[in-house]
Amino acid sequence: MERVGRNDPCPCGSGKKYKNCHMDKEEHKKSSNKSFTYLLLFILIIVVGVVAYLSNQDPEASAPPGQVWSEEHQHYH
């Protein structure tokens, strides 16, 4: 599909120039898509942060039976 120029006839068939017919609607759609993408990215970063925070909780609280967490070695003994 070829790109429509500002001063080309609108592809909707109205007879108006593209800039006076559908150009603003197309630009708004692109802007909305970018906003939605940034919102999803923000939510993903928050989810990753929460998961990272929860995974760094006190390891001794979830130690396997008979084992203790070694801060020096960063694993259970």
Side-chain angles (χ1 to χ4, degrees):
M1 185 172 177
E2 205 172 306
R3 184 169 180 235
V4 180
R6 288 175 45 86
N7 291 315
D8 292 341
C10 190
C12 76
S14 67
K16 296 180 181 178
K17 290 184 179 181
Y18 179 65
K19 68 181 178 184
N20 294 327
C21 192
H22 278 92
M23 188 173 87
D24 289 338
K25 294 174 187 171
E26 295 296 323
E27 293 298 321
H28 179 68
K29 190 186 304 183
K30 289 178 187 177
S31 176
S32 294
N33 287 342
K34 280 185 181 179
S35 298
F36 184 70
T37 302
Y38 289 136
L39 177 63
L40 286 178
L41 183 61
F42 177 74
I43 291 170
L44 180 63
I45 290 170
I46 296 297
V47 168
V48 168
V50 167
V51 168
Y53 173 75
L54 293 176
S55 67
N56 288 331
Q57 295 296 316
D58 183 20
E60 289 190 26
S62 62
Q67 294 190 349
V68 293
W69 181 257
S70 169
E71 283 295 325
E72 181 181 352
H73 300 123
Q74 295 293 307
H75 62 239
Y76 292 103
H77 288 270

